[in-house]
Amino acid sequence: MTDTRRRVKLYALNVDRQWDDRGTGHVSSTYVDRLKGISLLVRAEADGSLLLESKILPDTLYQKQQDTLIVWAEGDNFDLALSFQEKAGCDEIWEKICQVQGKDPSVDITQEVVEESEDERYDEMPDSGPPIELPPVELGRLEEIKRLISSNISSSTRKEKLAEAIENECYISKLMDVFHMCEDLSNMDGLHHLYDIMKTIFLLNKNALFEVMFADDLIFDIVGCLEYDPSTTAPRKHRQYLRTMSKFKEVIPISNPELLAKIHQTYRVQYIQDVVLPTPTVFEDNMLSALSSFIFFNKVEIVTLIQEDEKFLPDLLGLLTDENTPDAKRRDLVLFLKEYCNFAHSLQPQGKESFYKTLSSLGILSALELTLPSDDLPTKTASIDILTYIVEFSPSVVREYTLQQASTSDEEELLLINVIIDQMITDTDPELGRAVQLMGILKILIDPENMLASSNKSEKTDFLTNFYKHSIHVLIAPLLANTVSNEPAKDDCQTVQLLGIILELLSFCVEHHSYHIKNCILTKDLLRRILVLMKSSHTFLVLCALRFMRKIIALKDEFYNRYIVKGNLFAPVIDAFIRNNGRYNLLDSAVLEMFEFLKLEDIKSLCSHVVENYGKVLDEVDYVQTFKALKLKYNQNQDKLRDRDKTSIDSVLRNSRFRRDQRQLEEEEEMWFNEEDEFEEGEAVVPANASIASNIIAKKISSELDSLGKPVGDRKNEGCSGGKAVGAKASLMNNNLSSSGPLSPTSTDNKCAALFNKALVDYEGDSDEEEEEVGQLLSPHKRPRFS
């Protein structure tokens, strides 16, 4: 197995000046033929893939920090860092780097910084040789020290020399001795000089100096120096706050002294960065990157040390879920867990995944079920923050947990997702800050875009089915309760904000869930209830209800369209539009945009409904052309519909006259003429009304019997035998026909005539030519023959 001394984490500094975790692996220094030199190679611990291949160049600046970090830059904006598991491995690689560059391994930095500008390099050449000589640390020479340090901060080369001199001469400790003297004498000029000196030392951006400054014996003195800002009239009280106000509560005994020291140090350095140091200018922003890196790596180490402790987290979560734990103790536990998650939030995905898997396996979600409904506001707020961290990183963990709950418990109110909804709709905050945060959590959980789907697991189907079965009614309960009548039951500010949050979630569902939310809306008549809110005195809520309807219309789903038409659900929108009375505001624009969408997308069913039911009212709106254009579109659609119907009728008539099989036509003609003498003039072989006669003509022109070559007598018998070729074929081809009267059981000829009558389609609106033909047929003395 590979030596753990060479086990490292590879980091790269991103554009936001934050360190990205590029993976864990093992480092080696070997000769690479392709690069023609000794190179640092990092191979991934998981699969052996190459994470890093970096040639050790003679002029690259390498820094060793905190005994386990090696940091360097490749190019102008690409900083890399190796974080070693053990100090011995870091020392081995550092010796190799120094060997290639010909440096003494005892140094913490291998190169001077080479400036890009030739002019600057030329100007600094005389100064690059001798080291900087610092004045003795005396009370009377503080102003001289301040000028010297400030004059060397603008040059990278001189900064390196200055930092080296300060470190080698233990200058910071000596400055702290003078600081105590100035405080004892109340020498404000000296204290102001010390403030400027310490601020400039921070801008040197050297990790080696931070190690000295943030040691337990000096950190409070450093903070004390930074209390005496010359721009303020009175000194700050940062030390008092750190010592008395911010006391560390050890909710679970920490047996590891290294962990305890790191926690204290990280908190104090974070306070220095966020509160004590003045806000850096644009030019100073990048000069504090080493301070950010120092805090980042401290947090990584704290998270790792806590995870490696086999008792700490199980004991913490055990106390958190214990019913006998006092409320004050539970609050401290939740606050500590929140800070722990906050530290882990800065980790990269691999570290986060390990962290949240550990918490999930220990029952963090079960614990949050108990702490979310807490009456103690700090406990509740911290619990929401913890849940936010978990859901933002891995919503699938929470979904899987709720599905397991639903399958093992029949009590819906105990489901975690219902607890979240309940806390959202019962938030007592006048501004509903916690409700908004919980809404964000719910939106991530019900978002199908981040749901898994595979052959053996369909998270989207299972979770959404469970949500709409067990939770949707909890979400819409306040909405339904407030819209029982034709006006909102409550219209106060807090209720309006809550209903706005619920409508935002429902609008999200309409946009992203198809089947489930449609079924919910149609079965619960939800849109009608929501449109009751159009009568609210708060325009914000009116717009929320309108936006919900607009989301539905945007889908162009005919199920929704029929629901809107049948329920006359445009009425509340038109009423609100009329009440607005043409005022140029957001409501007016939103309503107009909705109708403009109907026109542009040509949603015919809704366009027709609006014009036919509200055309007279909307005709009076003349300050925009929307409704005139909508009516024009409606008229065009009606004209197209009439033209299409006429074309369809003409097409059917043409098909019935000219596209039938000619053999069937000839057989019918022969049958007609062979039998006409057998009937008396008064018998109704030809129906008395012109429409049925037209049908006979159409049938005769369009038909032909299959037995064209048979003798006339055979064709006669075959054509008039009930249930044989002609009748059967005609019935199949005209499946929507009905008999005009009962057949006579004694007259074969009447059967035949009735069969023709049964097998004909009665078309309306035949041409004049057809009427003339019918007239000839109706004349008993003039029966034309067709050749």
Side-chain angles (χ1 to χ4, degrees):
M1 183 177 177
T2 308
D3 194 344
T4 56
R5 290 179 301 174
R6 298 291 186 93
R7 189 170 185 263
V8 296
K9 275 187 176 293
L10 175 64
Y11 293 93
L13 196 66
N14 61 28
V15 292
D16 298 324
R17 309 301 296 173
Q18 299 294 325
W19 288 100
D20 289 339
D21 187 349
R22 294 299 179 87
T24 302
H26 293 86
V27 64
S28 61
S29 55
T30 56
Y31 183 83
V32 178
D33 292 334
R34 185 175 61 82
L35 300 177
K36 305 296 184 184
I38 302 295
S39 304
L40 296 177
L41 303 179
V42 178
R43 294 196 175 274
E45 188 175 53
D47 55 8
S49 60
L50 193 63
L51 299 179
L52 175 70
E53 186 180 67
S54 174
K55 182 179 178 181
I56 302 174
L57 299 173
D59 56 350
T60 299
L61 187 149
Y62 291 87
Q63 293 183 12
K64 186 168 78 167
Q65 302 176 3
Q66 301 183 32
D67 293 331
T68 56
L69 280 173
I70 296 178
V71 182
W72 74 99
E74 293 193 358
D76 296 335
N77 298 306
F78 191 59
D79 292 359
L80 296 170
L82 291 177
S83 176
F84 288 79
Q85 181 174 335
E86 297 184 13
K87 179 179 181 297
C90 182
D91 292 340
E92 287 180 12
I93 297 299
W94 183 252
E95 288 178 8
K96 191 66 175 180
I97 293 171
C98 292
Q99 179 184 346
V100 172
Q101 294 194 340
K103 302 293 181 181
D104 185 351
S106 63
V107 300
D108 289 337
I109 185 170
T110 62
Q111 296 289 327
E112 304 292 342
V113 175
V114 179
E115 294 292 326
E116 294 182 0
S117 169
E118 294 290 336
D119 295 336
E120 289 180 5
R121 284 209 300 269
Y122 180 78
D123 293 340
E124 291 178 4
M125 282 179 64
D127 298 329
S128 62
I132 294 177
E133 293 186 6
L134 295 171
V137 182
E138 299 174 358
L139 183 60
R141 305 190 70 171
L142 289 177
E143 186 174 2
E144 179 186 352
I145 295 171
K146 181 182 77 171
R147 285 199 304 268
L148 175 66
I149 292 178
S150 299
S151 64
N152 287 281
I153 197 69
S154 59
S155 165
S156 298
T157 303
R158 303 305 294 169
K159 278 170 63 177
E160 297 293 337
K161 294 287 185 183
L162 179 60
E164 184 179 350
I166 291 174
E167 183 182 2
N168 292 339
E169 296 182 23
C170 300
Y171 213 66
I172 295 175
S173 298
K174 296 174 182 177
L175 287 171
M176 294 304 99
D177 292 338
V178 176
F179 168 71
H180 290 299
M181 188 185 305
C182 289
E183 274 205 317
D184 292 341
L185 298 174
S186 299
N187 186 336
M188 296 305 297
D189 289 338
L191 292 171
H192 289 162
H193 290 321
L194 283 168
Y195 172 89
D196 292 330
I197 291 170
M198 293 312 303
K199 176 186 172 184
T200 307
I201 290 176
F202 269 96
L203 295 179
L204 291 175
N205 203 32
K206 296 303 172 187
N207 193 75
L209 297 181
F210 292 153
E211 292 283 357
V212 175
M213 295 162 67
F214 300 149
D216 288 343
D217 57 336
L218 287 181
I219 189 167
F220 279 101
D221 293 337
I222 300 297
V223 173
C225 286
L226 296 174
E227 290 178 349
Y228 294 95
D229 186 352
S231 62
T232 59
T233 55
R236 310 282 184 179
K237 296 183 179 180
H238 298 305
R239 285 173 292 176
Q240 180 182 350
Y241 176 82
L242 288 173
R243 282 175 173 151
T244 60
M245 302 295 291
S246 62
K247 292 184 178 179
F248 176 70
K249 294 182 179 180
E250 197 170 352
V251 292
I252 299 290
I254 299 176
S255 57
N256 187 343
E258 181 186 0
L259 172 60
L260 194 59
K262 281 290 179 186
I263 291 174
H264 286 304
Q265 184 188 60
T266 304
Y267 175 78
R268 292 163 183 166
V269 176
Q270 188 82 62
Y271 182 83
I272 291 172
Q273 184 188 45
D274 296 342
V275 180
V276 178
L277 285 176
T279 303
T281 64
V282 175
F283 302 102
E284 296 173 344
D285 194 18
N286 290 334
M287 301 176 74
L288 292 174
S289 60
L291 182 60
S292 298
S293 299
F294 185 94
I295 296 171
F296 172 80
F297 288 112
N298 266 16
K299 289 181 177 180
V300 171
E301 191 170 353
I302 289 171
V303 172
T304 304
L305 289 172
I306 290 179
Q307 276 187 273
E308 291 175 351
D309 192 320
E310 297 180 355
K311 288 189 61 181
F312 188 86
L313 285 176
D315 290 349
L316 187 149
L317 290 168
L319 277 174
L320 198 58
T321 54
D322 189 351
E323 296 179 356
N324 298 322
T325 303
D327 291 341
K329 179 71 172 178
R330 182 173 282 109
R331 179 199 307 152
D332 293 339
L333 291 167
V334 173
L335 291 174
F336 177 85
L337 193 57
K338 175 196 167 184
E339 287 300 316
Y340 184 43
C341 291
N342 186 29
F343 278 20
H345 193 62
S346 62
L347 298 178
Q348 294 305 309
Q350 291 178 340
K352 281 184 181 180
E353 185 175 1
S354 173
F355 170 77
Y356 288 118
K357 278 184 177 179
T358 302
L359 284 185
S360 180
S361 63
L362 294 173
I364 181 64
L365 296 176
S366 300
L368 291 176
E369 284 181 23
L370 299 176
T371 58
L372 276 172
S374 173
D375 294 330
D376 183 67
L377 291 183
T379 302
K380 184 193 294 288
T381 304
S383 300
I384 295 174
D385 290 337
I386 295 169
L387 184 60
T388 302
Y389 287 136
I390 296 172
V391 170
E392 284 180 348
F393 178 73
S394 180
S396 294
V397 171
V398 182
R399 295 192 196 107
E400 185 177 355
Y401 177 76
T402 56
L403 288 173
Q404 290 176 352
Q405 280 187 307
S407 62
T408 58
S409 174
D410 295 331
E411 301 183 41
E412 290 184 345
E413 65 275 6
L414 299 181
L415 298 178
L416 176 59
I417 194 163
N418 285 354
V419 172
I420 295 172
I421 295 173
D422 183 65
Q423 292 305 304
M424 183 187 77
I425 62 181
T426 58
D427 187 12
T428 57
D429 180 9
E431 300 297 328
L432 293 184
R434 290 183 292 272
V436 172
Q437 193 173 354
L438 289 168
M439 178 200 67
I441 292 173
L442 283 171
K443 190 176 286 188
I444 294 173
L445 288 176
I446 63 176
D447 187 357
E449 296 297 325
N450 57 46
M451 293 183 183
L452 302 176
S454 61
S455 58
N456 58 354
K457 178 180 179 181
S458 181
E459 182 182 18
K460 179 178 178 180
T461 302
D462 295 343
F463 180 78
L464 290 181
T465 301
N466 181 74
F467 175 75
Y468 281 93
K469 181 179 180 181
H470 299 291
S471 304
I472 192 67
H473 64 278
V474 181
L475 178 62
I476 64 176
L479 178 63
L480 298 179
N482 203 48
T483 55
V484 175
S485 61
N486 292 327
E487 292 186 357
K490 294 182 180 179
D491 206 32
D492 58 282
C493 290
Q494 190 163 1
T495 302
V496 166
Q497 290 184 62
L498 175 61
L499 294 179
I501 289 173
I502 295 173
L503 285 177
E504 183 171 345
L505 282 171
L506 291 175
S507 299
F508 181 85
C509 293
V510 167
E511 190 172 1
H512 293 87
H513 306 162
S514 55
Y515 165 74
H516 295 91
I517 188 63
K518 183 192 299 183
N519 185 51
C520 177
I521 291 172
L522 298 180
T523 55
K524 297 183 182 296
D525 199 12
L526 194 56
L527 179 57
R528 180 187 300 278
R529 303 294 286 272
I530 288 173
L531 290 176
V532 170
L533 302 176
M534 297 288 290
K535 294 183 179 179
S536 171
S537 60
H538 298 267
T539 307
F540 158 74
L541 188 59
V542 175
L543 289 168
C544 287
L546 185 63
R547 182 166 65 248
F548 179 80
M549 186 175 184
R550 176 65 175 79
K551 291 283 186 184
I552 290 177
I553 292 175
L555 297 176
K556 297 187 284 187
D557 187 319
E558 277 305 311
F559 283 102
Y560 280 132
N561 294 345
R562 286 198 294 270
Y563 167 61
I564 292 172
V565 170
K566 184 177 180 181
N568 195 26
L569 298 183
F570 273 107
V573 178
I574 300 295
D575 289 344
F577 183 67
I578 293 172
R579 286 197 305 271
N580 193 55
N581 199 26
R583 287 191 292 273
Y584 185 63
N585 54 20
L586 191 56
L587 176 59
D588 183 77
S589 300
V591 174
L592 291 175
E593 191 278 334
M594 177 186 286
F595 289 110
E596 193 71 27
F597 179 81
L598 295 182
K599 181 198 73 174
L600 292 176
E601 296 297 325
D602 195 15
I603 306 177
K604 295 179 176 56
S605 57
L606 297 185
C607 286
S608 301
H609 174 72
V610 171
V611 173
E612 291 170 0
N613 290 273
Y614 309 104
K616 292 182 180 179
V617 177
L618 298 178
D619 283 344
E620 299 177 4
V621 181
D622 56 1
Y623 59 91
V624 290
Q625 300 300 311
T626 300
F627 299 109
K628 290 182 179 178
L630 189 65
K631 192 168 185 179
L632 178 61
K633 177 69 72 174
Y634 167 77
N635 291 332
Q636 291 172 350
N637 288 335
Q638 293 299 110
D639 291 341
K640 290 179 182 178
L641 189 61
R642 284 191 291 268
D643 292 343
R644 188 178 64 187
D645 290 344
K646 184 177 180 182
T647 303
S648 177
I649 292 172
D650 293 342
S651 175
V652 171
L653 289 174
R654 285 195 301 272
N655 289 339
S656 65
R657 289 177 187 170
F658 304 117
R659 295 188 182 178
R660 296 277 297 276
D661 189 50
Q662 293 301 314
R663 292 176 299 174
Q664 184 176 352
L665 170 64
E666 293 178 9
E667 181 173 297
E668 289 182 3
E669 290 176 9
E670 292 295 335
M671 182 174 62
W672 174 270
F673 293 116
N674 287 336
E675 296 181 358
E676 62 181 357
D677 294 333
E678 298 176 10
F679 297 95
E680 305 220 354
E681 288 187 2
E683 291 182 315
V685 177
V686 179
N689 65 73
S691 177
I692 298 179
S694 298
N695 288 331
I696 296 175
I697 293 297
K699 180 174 178 62
K700 288 173 62 179
I701 295 174
S702 306
S703 304
E704 178 181 3
L705 293 174
D706 292 332
S707 56
L708 181 61
K710 292 183 179 182
V712 174
D714 294 342
R715 279 180 277 166
K716 171 183 171 182
N717 294 333
E718 193 172 326
C720 294
S721 59
K724 290 221 174 176
V726 177
K729 188 166 184 178
S731 297
L732 290 172
M733 297 180 67
N734 300 278
N735 55 9
N736 59 345
L737 305 176
S738 61
S739 176
S740 60
L743 296 176
S744 171
T746 59
S747 175
T748 305
D749 295 326
N750 285 340
K751 287 182 181 179
C752 192
L755 182 61
F756 279 120
N757 191 19
K758 180 177 181 180
L760 297 175
V761 181
D762 184 12
Y763 294 109
E764 295 181 7
D766 290 333
S767 64
D768 295 337
E769 180 181 352
E770 290 172 344
E771 292 177 358
E772 293 176 4
E773 293 174 352
V774 172
Q776 294 173 0
L777 279 173
L778 292 176
S779 173
H781 304 292
K782 295 182 180 180
R783 292 184 179 174
R785 298 184 66 88
F786 293 85
S787 57

